[in-house]
Amino acid sequence: MTEKPLILEIGMGADVHGHDMTKAALRAVSDAIRHSSLTLFKAYKHPSQMRVEVTIAVPFPDQVNKQAVADALPYGTIEVTVIEGGLHDRGMGGKEDITLAVAGVKAFLDTEDHGFQLLDTP
């Protein structure tokens, strides 16, 4: 198997009034995948054959529902990792606090026996 990373997208999402880490994470993933069109995957293999790595950075990682994040992606085998990061702005206090999540979404595909060539970059 010759698996290569073919897509990397970064997204950002916020929950403005609820301190909901999963809601912010889902919005970050949505932001990331809206920037990509996966026509390459359909042209060479069915999109369900891709592997997708999702890394979410939020202030309270244990509060993210990883299955909900995985379910938000339409294709592939999804792996979700949640780490501490993002932003939790306590400046306004109470319901006005903002939770910000950052998502990195990487898609991989087995490129063996395809007619296209991927160039190695230095």
Side-chain angles (χ1 to χ4, degrees), residues 47-108:
S48 65
Q49 294 179 345
M50 73 177 137
R51 183 174 62 85
V52 181
E53 290 180 358
V54 179
T55 303
I56 303 288
V58 291
F60 306 108
D62 59 320
Q63 294 179 19
V64 173
N65 180 334
K66 290 199 247 183
Q67 188 60 54
V69 172
D71 290 346
L73 292 156
Y75 301 113
T77 302
I78 315 300
E79 304 166 14
V80 178
T81 302
V82 184
I83 62 172
E84 188 172 347
L87 172 72
H88 191 64
D89 186 354
R90 301 171 197 259
M92 300 184 75
K95 289 284 190 184
E96 289 74 35
D97 285 357
I98 296 171
T99 298
L100 182 67
V102 178
V105 179
K106 291 188 253 181
F108 298 81

